[in-house]
Amino acid sequence: MNRAKMRTSAFAVAAVLASSVLAACGADSGGSGESTTAGGGGDLQNAKVAFLMPDLASTRYELQDKPLFEAKMKQLCPTCEVIYQNADSDAAKQQQQANSALAQGVKAIVIDPVDSAAAATIVKSAQAQQVPIIAYDRPIPATPADYYISFDNEKIGSLIAQSLVDHLKAEKAEGGILQVNGSPTDAAAQLIKKGIHSAVDPSGFKLLAEYDTPDWQPEKAQTWVSGQITQFKDQIVGVVAANDGTGGGAIAAFKAAGVKVPPVTGNDAEIAAAQRIINGDQYNTISKPIKIVAEASANVAWEFMQGKKPAGKTTLYETPSELFVPTVVTKENTKEVLFDSGIMKAADVCTGAYAKGCEELGIK
């Protein structure tokens, strides 16, 4: 073969190989043959996405949200890296974590804000760098994020409160209710609070007092409820607590005072709450399977990373949103909702002092 023919053959082989490599790269990084660029941001091989959570007061972030989000992102983009940070209830720390993520070149940020107002600065910084922001669980009202994913927080408030009110009426209880709200800097807590009032205010039960719990801290909820027990004594027939942590704090206050624990609500379906419900210490909680919102946020982040603009199912605070409907859990449906569904395992819950209660409910 002469040199000209050899060069022609070599170029042909090189072209075939190059096109094959490009096709393979596209298939590997896209996962489903989608575009491999994010808003003109470049190749998605080894791309980074930030997952910024707000606190350690709720155990769910470390035990559920983080691993579930990471697992879904791994499925969608095997080569992508999740940068996980928890701000431990410190808004300034979360700002630093967001700045660090942006400096590392993340293609998207999923954030559950410590302070919904302060998080507006994070949104502006990210959007200035064309990095999409997905608000997770808690909205950011002041500056619209690119997307918002959560369970319907106002609905959560109305559901837990109405469940308690219906129970108190069925028991022909006479007296008043304490309302333990979430953090005053959390926009989701304010939605829950609004939902609670929608059920408590027209209920016929007097609202004795209410409290916005700084940083959702159970200890602060406990201290406040202790003071109300001293003031109102046996007038308290129920407590609407905005989540399981504050509910647990309220229950601890009654036990420390040596008085009967009235029905107390919760939200988040933490293992400790399930145990309290099984033993009769807590009246209800809310099941909002974290898997649903964690995976939905990973899907939306991945769409943004590919340069797409996912449409919301609804709009909240001028932000395209998807809001899922939760389920109230009481002793009567604990087995069905939390255990038969596979959300929880008896081995994790029915330990020690809770084994007898589980057996009575047929949980095994």
Side-chain angles (χ1 to χ4, degrees):
M1 182 182 293
N2 62 38
R3 288 184 179 181
K5 288 184 178 179
M6 287 176 66
R7 283 197 297 269
T8 302
S9 299
F11 288 140
V13 170
V16 171
L17 287 173
S19 62
S20 298
V21 170
L22 288 171
C25 288
D28 287 344
S29 60
S32 59
E34 300 290 357
S35 166
T36 58
T37 58
D43 195 340
L44 288 183
Q45 282 282 11
N46 305 313
K48 297 175 182 178
V49 55
F51 191 65
L52 309 180
M53 294 295 101
D55 63 64
L56 296 169
S58 296
T59 59
R60 52 169 281 196
Y61 299 114
E62 302 290 314
L63 299 179
Q64 298 183 67
D65 299 76
K66 173 183 180 286
L68 288 167
F69 179 83
E70 289 177 335
K72 187 61 179 179
M73 279 306 307
K74 187 72 173 176
Q75 178 187 346
L76 294 168
C77 178
T79 64
C80 286
E81 176 187 350
V82 174
I83 297 175
Y84 171 74
Q85 296 286 339
N86 190 302
D88 197 12
S89 301
D90 186 334
K93 184 176 181 180
Q94 190 168 61
Q95 176 74 65
Q96 293 169 359
Q97 291 170 344
N99 290 342
S100 174
L102 289 169
Q104 293 178 65
V106 294
K107 298 291 187 182
I109 293 177
V110 178
I111 182 170
D112 193 335
V114 173
D115 184 318
S116 296
T121 303
I122 297 175
V123 175
K124 290 175 183 176
S125 297
Q127 292 177 342
Q129 298 183 42
Q130 297 185 322
V131 175
I133 285 268
I134 298 100
Y136 180 88
D137 198 33
R138 304 174 182 179
I140 305 173
T143 301
D146 294 280
Y147 208 91
Y148 173 48
I149 290 178
S150 177
F151 278 90
D152 188 331
N153 287 295
E154 188 172 337
K155 188 70 173 176
I156 286 171
S158 66
L159 285 172
I160 58 175
Q162 192 61 55
S163 170
L164 177 71
V165 166
D166 291 345
H167 174 71
L168 294 177
K169 287 182 176 179
E171 295 292 311
K172 295 183 170 51
E174 295 182 3
I177 290 173
L178 296 180
Q179 182 171 328
V180 186
N181 304 311
S183 172
T185 63
D186 176 355
Q190 302 314 304
L191 291 171
I192 294 172
K193 178 179 179 178
K194 182 180 178 183
I196 291 172
H197 274 290
S198 73
V200 171
D201 293 352
S203 70
F205 291 100
K206 182 179 180 181
L207 179 59
L208 298 172
E210 70 176 301
Y211 175 65
D212 290 346
T213 310
D215 298 324
W216 293 90
Q217 290 292 331
E219 298 82 4
K220 293 177 181 177
Q222 180 177 345
T223 299
W224 180 78
V225 172
S226 294
Q228 307 314 303
I229 293 170
T230 301
Q231 180 177 352
F232 295 108
K233 300 181 174 60
D234 58 2
Q235 292 181 57
I236 304 168
V237 295
V239 179
V240 184
N243 78 341
D244 291 332
T246 53
I251 291 165
F254 284 99
K255 290 193 171 186
V259 298
K260 181 181 178 183
V261 180
V264 178
T265 73
N267 158 38
D268 282 339
E270 295 182 347
I271 286 178
Q275 291 174 327
R276 290 192 294 265
I277 289 173
I278 288 167
N279 270 20
D281 290 328
Q282 183 168 321
Y283 178 65
N284 72 21
T285 187
I286 283 284
S287 174
K288 46 182 188 183
I290 303 304
K291 183 181 176 71
I292 292 175
V293 287
E295 292 191 348
S297 65
N299 283 327
V300 169
W302 179 234
E303 286 194 57
F304 275 117
M305 290 166 72
Q306 295 175 94
K308 299 177 181 179
K309 190 173 182 180
K313 304 293 177 64
T314 185
T315 301
L316 187 66
Y317 297 120
E318 300 180 19
T319 305
S321 306
E322 185 166 12
L323 306 177
F324 298 96
V325 179
T327 304
V328 176
V329 180
T330 63
K331 198 169 187 177
E332 285 68 30
N333 67 348
T334 297
K335 178 179 181 294
E336 174 190 354
V337 176
L338 297 183
F339 294 91
D340 293 350
S341 66
I343 293 173
M344 290 186 182
K345 296 178 181 178
D348 297 329
V349 179
C350 304
T351 58
Y354 307 103
K356 183 180 178 182
C358 284
E359 184 179 349
E360 290 174 352
L361 294 176
I363 300 170
K364 49 185 156 181

